[in-house]
Amino acid sequence: MAFARTCSVALVGVEGVVVEVQADLEPGVAAFTLVGLPDKSLTESRDRVRAAVVNSGNAWPQKKLTVGLSPASVPKGGSGFDLAVACAVLGAAERIDPRTLADVVMIGELGLDGRVLPVRGVLPAVLAAADAGYDQVVVPENATAEASLVPGVSVLGVRSLRQLIAVLTDEPVPEEEADSDTNRSATTAPGGFGGTLATIGTPDSTAAHHDLSEVVGQIAARTALEVAAAGGHHLFLQGPPGAGKTMLAERLPSIMPPLTQKESLEVTAVHSVAGTLPPGRPLVETPPYCAPHHSATMQSLVGGGPGLPRPGAVSLAHRGVLFLDEAPEFSAKALDALRQPLESGHVVVARAAGVVQLPARFQMILAANPCPCGRCTLHGETSTCTPGAIRRYQGRLSGPLLDRVDLRVEIEPVTRADLTATVHRGESTSQVADRVRQARERAAARLTGTPWSTNSHIPGHELRTRWHPAPGALHEAELDLERGLLTARGLDRVLRIAWTIADLSGRDRPDANDVNLALHLRTGIPRGVHMAIAP
């Protein structure tokens, strides 16, 4: 019997499923049949694999060939199965010993000339292989660093099918010229799963640096930004054009703590599936920042697309910041679709091809003008908008959505005195980031042994029954609840904000001043408290 099998990985959302690739050769009319629920791009692999095998100097078997992908019930798509299909066919044709293929996971697309091309989702695919007990993985050369992030897995990076065949058959490994469009070094190493056939270089790239000291004035907004970073709270900034809403939003990731190792792998897996990993940086270590245009569709925000859904903006902002500038200009349907991930930290997208759960634990910043012309709150200016137009514009952000936003700040226009001042500039990013880090550490220590790590994630019931503020601290908040200024959800969020303010100030629990400042940041109504955090 001419039979061989190897393994690859099918991606369902950002999760991987190990797939056994089986090849069977039988006497009969030469034909190539691919079964196992493949999509169009995978069905086309028959032509890519045949050309790659022939152009790699190997004969194509002139028999009836059947390639099966098991389990057959899992939808499979993409070009990442090419390498496994080619090796399974060559194993069935006895060009490669089938025993060397059985316990190897292969991921990669084949060019018609036999080159191994990069594919999306290498990291989650290797994670799935490791979870399934496989410890030998073959990937494209420039994905070696990404695949090597998974501990306990031996990774082999190859440039061509010829190189892989040579490794598997203990033949001399041919030298292959590096692609001209890559800037990695090309040092050939001996075959084996303990190393790679090339060393990948990391290009020099410097991200734009945004310092918080560049923001002029805006004490209330800076305080809200610091509280948002320390507690993981959502933020709504409303004010006239040019007041600094976008500047503030862009600086939030820089004052947030770096990602933990677990969070880095989560974020990297999402960006790997989406194909947005920066070149030469296989691991995302800082909170991501995603700012979609206001014309974005609901599918581009929460995930979607033909076949199985792909990650949207909320997943690309996982463990980071999602900034929606000109929020009222987004479609109402797209904005309301954010309500579920804001509460649960994930998105469940159902399509005909299947149901996919995507991670979406992000911090949202909404920015909006007060009216279509943006001048209705400016002193000495006349707005051209009618009261009805203002109500309709502000009504585009639904009450249930805004109720899920912890902090709401009115941005005032920047004055000439603020712009021309040469002293008393605001604190720098490093100063605020250090205070945020200490506040996060206090919260994490308090929440040890619980499933939560930041104040914004604690359920309201747990917060009210397990961690109590100072006696009488909630008096004003309870009055606002009776007056209808706060909902029950709003009261819980005020309590979360107060705990974050206490963490920033170094107190063991929030007092009346902390709660009043939290009420000011939540409702926008002055409470007679100093807006800056007092450590």
Side-chain angles (χ1 to χ4, degrees):
M1 179 180 67
F3 175 84
R5 63 183 180 87
T6 188
C7 296
S8 191
V9 178
L11 292 176
V12 182
V14 295
E15 302 291 333
V17 178
V18 175
V19 173
E20 188 174 276
V21 180
Q22 306 166 346
D24 176 70
L25 284 173
E26 297 178 0
V29 178
F32 188 172
T33 304
L34 184 64
V35 297
L37 212 58
D39 70 352
K40 179 66 174 176
S41 61
L42 181 51
T43 302
E44 291 176 348
S45 69
R46 296 177 298 184
D47 299 319
R48 293 194 299 270
V49 168
R50 181 187 292 109
V53 168
V54 172
N55 289 328
S56 297
N58 299 277
W60 184 260
Q62 298 301 314
K63 295 182 180 180
K64 181 181 178 181
L65 171 62
T66 303
V67 174
L69 309 175
S70 177
S73 58
V74 176
K76 305 167 191 71
S79 56
F81 291 87
D82 289 3
L83 199 59
V85 171
C87 288
V89 171
L90 292 173
E94 299 182 349
R95 173 66 177 87
I96 302 174
D97 186 350
R99 293 173 296 182
T100 64
L101 302 174
D103 297 323
V104 181
V105 175
M106 302 185 181
I107 305 160
E109 177 184 339
L110 285 175
L112 299 184
D113 57 354
R115 288 178 301 141
V116 180
L117 306 177
V119 294
R120 296 179 178 179
V122 169
L123 177 60
V126 178
L127 284 170
D131 291 341
Y134 293 88
D135 59 4
Q136 295 181 337
V137 178
V138 179
V139 298
E141 175 202 58
N142 62 352
T144 308
E146 181 182 345
S148 298
L149 296 173
V150 182
V153 176
S154 182
V155 179
L156 175 67
V158 294
R159 289 181 181 168
S160 68
L161 181 60
R162 284 181 290 270
Q163 286 187 335
L164 179 56
I165 294 172
V167 171
L168 295 173
T169 57
D170 291 328
E171 297 175 359
V173 178
E175 293 187 4
E176 298 284 357
E177 184 178 353
D179 293 341
S180 58
D181 58 345
T182 60
N183 51 8
R184 57 185 184 271
S185 62
T187 57
T188 303
F193 286 93
T196 64
L197 296 181
T199 301
I200 300 178
T202 303
D204 293 329
S205 59
T206 303
H209 179 68
H210 301 295
D211 198 280
L212 200 57
S213 62
E214 298 170 356
V215 178
V216 177
Q218 308 300 358
I219 296 176
R222 289 172 59 98
T223 299
L225 198 73
E226 182 177 344
V227 172
H233 305 286
H234 307 301
L235 174 62
F236 176 39
L237 301 172
Q238 186 177 47
K245 301 186 294 293
T246 302
M247 285 185 68
L248 287 162
E250 289 175 343
R251 282 149 182 79
L252 178 57
S254 63
I255 63 175
M256 294 169 64
L259 300 176
T260 64
Q261 182 67 21
K262 179 182 177 183
E263 291 171 344
S264 292
L265 289 176
E266 291 177 6
V267 173
T268 303
V270 174
H271 285 258
S272 178
V273 171
T276 57
L277 280 180
R281 293 176 56 195
L283 184 65
V284 179
E285 298 176 315
T286 56
Y289 176 85
C290 187
H293 190 260
H294 61 256
S295 62
T297 63
M298 183 176 68
Q299 288 77 14
S300 67
L301 280 180
V302 300
L308 288 174
R310 303 188 69 84
V314 296
S315 296
L316 295 177
H318 180 58
R319 303 293 183 185
V321 177
L322 176 68
F323 176 47
L324 302 183
D325 198 7
E326 306 294 344
E329 302 295 339
F330 284 79
S331 72
K333 189 178 294 186
L335 290 174
D336 285 337
L338 300 176
R339 287 154 59 178
Q340 185 242 345
L342 284 174
E343 291 287 345
S344 63
H346 61 263
V347 177
V348 179
V349 185
R351 294 290 186 269
V355 179
V356 171
Q357 178 172 301
L358 301 169
R361 179 69 69 185
F362 59 92
Q363 283 185 246
M364 181 177 69
I365 299 185
L366 301 175
N369 295 326
C371 67
C373 76
R375 297 201 304 268
C376 73
T377 60
L378 293 179
H379 303 291
E381 293 285 347
T382 302
S383 172
T384 59
C385 303
T386 64
I390 295 174
R391 285 194 301 271
R392 286 192 298 271
Y393 183 78
Q394 295 179 349
R396 293 178 183 176
L397 300 177
S398 67
L401 175 64
L402 289 179
D403 200 35
R404 288 168 167 81
V405 179
D406 301 356
L407 306 164
R408 307 172 189 173
V409 179
E410 293 283 344
I411 303 291
E412 294 293 333
V414 179
T415 65
R416 186 176 112 178
D418 290 331
L419 283 174
T420 57
T422 58
V423 294
H424 302 300
R425 288 279 183 175
E427 292 178 296
S428 66
T429 291
S430 60
Q431 292 173 297
V432 178
D434 185 61
R435 198 157 56 237
V436 167
R437 177 187 56 78
Q438 295 178 28
R440 289 258 186 147
E441 290 174 354
R442 292 190 188 99
R446 184 174 63 252
L447 299 173
T448 300
T450 71
W452 316 292
S453 58
T454 57
N455 294 318
S456 63
H457 299 158
I458 307 173
H461 173 73
E462 297 288 338
L463 195 62
R464 292 190 301 271
T465 57
R466 296 181 60 176
W467 296 281
H468 302 284
L474 290 177
H475 177 69
E476 285 292 327
E478 292 168 350
L479 289 178
D480 281 3
L481 181 65
E482 293 179 358
R483 299 185 189 114
L485 296 176
L486 287 177
T487 63
R489 180 191 286 122
L491 180 61
D492 288 341
R493 294 185 182 275
V494 167
L495 192 51
R496 292 176 184 138
I497 298 168
W499 272 104
T500 301
I501 295 172
D503 289 334
L504 284 167
S505 303
R507 286 187 281 275
D508 293 335
R509 58 178 177 171
D511 56 20
N513 286 332
D514 296 331
V515 174
N516 288 339
L517 178 54
L519 283 169
H520 188 168
L521 294 175
R522 170 72 182 179
T523 64
I525 301 175
R527 308 285 170 158
V529 294
H530 186 58
M531 289 302 299
I533 300 294

